[in-house]
């Protein structure tokens, strides 16, 4: 039987709410990607500026959450917000830490439908050697169908 972990980063709570519903409907485990509380300002435009600088400098935030042992999972769903058509930098930090994962990886981008293709391309680039089998955009039913 396949076992799935949903790893997510949520700054405003939208991604968290979606992930909780997804986990309930698929009987998946959840892991919250966290960074120090003072990493990003509350304003989304200021956050975008901080993230752009982190990407430019390749200085991604340190994770404060301890990543569980991934050996018990076949599938990893990585959910996060679309920041200016790019992967949120805490998600990039997570992807860098889990490069040894051998199972399937699914990206779940929680956006408002803008620049999803650019986000999906960036996710695949940031995931490097991971086995990304699907990139999905804010569509819970699509992910549920894929996992079932």
């Amino acid at each position: 039987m396949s076992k799935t972990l949903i790893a997510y980063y949520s700054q405003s709570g939208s991604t968290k709410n979606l992930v909780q519903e997804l986990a309930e409907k698929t009987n998946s485990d959840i892991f919250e990607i966290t960074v120090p509380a003072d990493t990003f300002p509350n304003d989304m435009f200021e956050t975008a500026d901080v993230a752009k600088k982190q990407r430019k400098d390749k200085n991604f935030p340190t994770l404060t959450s301890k990543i569980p042992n991934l050996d018990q999972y076949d599938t990893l769903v990585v959910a996060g917000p679309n920041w200016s058509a790019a992967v949120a930098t805490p998600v990039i930090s997570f992807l860098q830490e889990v490069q040894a994962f051998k199972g399937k990886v699914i990206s779940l981008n929680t956006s408002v439908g803008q620049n999803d293709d650019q986000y999906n391309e960036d996710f695949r680039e940031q995931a490097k050697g991971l086995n990304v089998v699907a990139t999905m955009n804010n569509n819970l039913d699509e992910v549920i169908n894929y996992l079932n």
Side-chain angles (χ1 to χ4, degrees):
M1 183 161 141
S2 179
K3 189 160 182 188
T4 300
L5 176 68
I6 306 167
Y8 76 94
Y9 175 76
S10 184
Q11 187 175 21
S12 69
S14 297
T15 303
K16 180 178 184 174
N17 292 337
L18 186 72
V19 162
Q20 287 175 332
E21 185 177 350
L22 176 62
E24 286 174 20
K25 291 183 176 184
T26 60
N27 197 31
S28 299
D29 294 339
I30 298 177
F31 168 72
E32 182 178 12
I33 299 166
T34 59
V35 296
D38 61 349
T39 303
F40 299 106
N42 289 331
D43 180 83
M44 71 178 199
F45 297 107
E46 291 175 24
T47 292
D49 291 341
V50 169
K52 285 176 187 172
K53 181 167 178 16
Q54 289 172 339
R55 289 176 71 97
K56 180 180 177 238
D57 297 344
K58 296 190 183 333
N59 184 20
F60 301 108
T62 302
L63 300 183
T64 55
S65 46
K66 183 175 176 0
I67 299 171
N69 181 347
L70 299 180
D71 292 342
Q72 61 186 312
Y73 299 102
D74 318 278
T75 305
L76 178 60
V77 176
V78 182
N82 180 332
W83 285 357
S84 304
V87 176
T89 55
V91 174
I92 294 172
S93 296
F94 174 77
L95 291 170
Q96 290 175 343
E97 294 289 324
V98 299
Q99 284 295 302
F101 180 68
K102 299 299 181 207
K104 296 183 230 171
V105 176
I106 298 169
S107 167
L108 176 58
N109 152 20
T110 56
S111 76
V112 292
Q114 297 178 343
N115 304 312
D116 288 335
D117 290 339
Q118 289 175 11
Y119 177 96
N120 294 335
E121 185 178 315
D122 186 49
F123 185 89
R124 288 182 183 280
E125 182 179 315
Q126 299 304 329
K128 295 181 180 127
L130 294 171
N131 180 23
V132 179
V133 296
T135 54
M136 300 178 188
N137 306 312
N138 209 26
N139 188 328
L140 196 60
D141 291 333
E142 186 179 11
V143 180
I144 291 167
N145 288 338
Y146 191 94
L147 292 174
N148 290 334

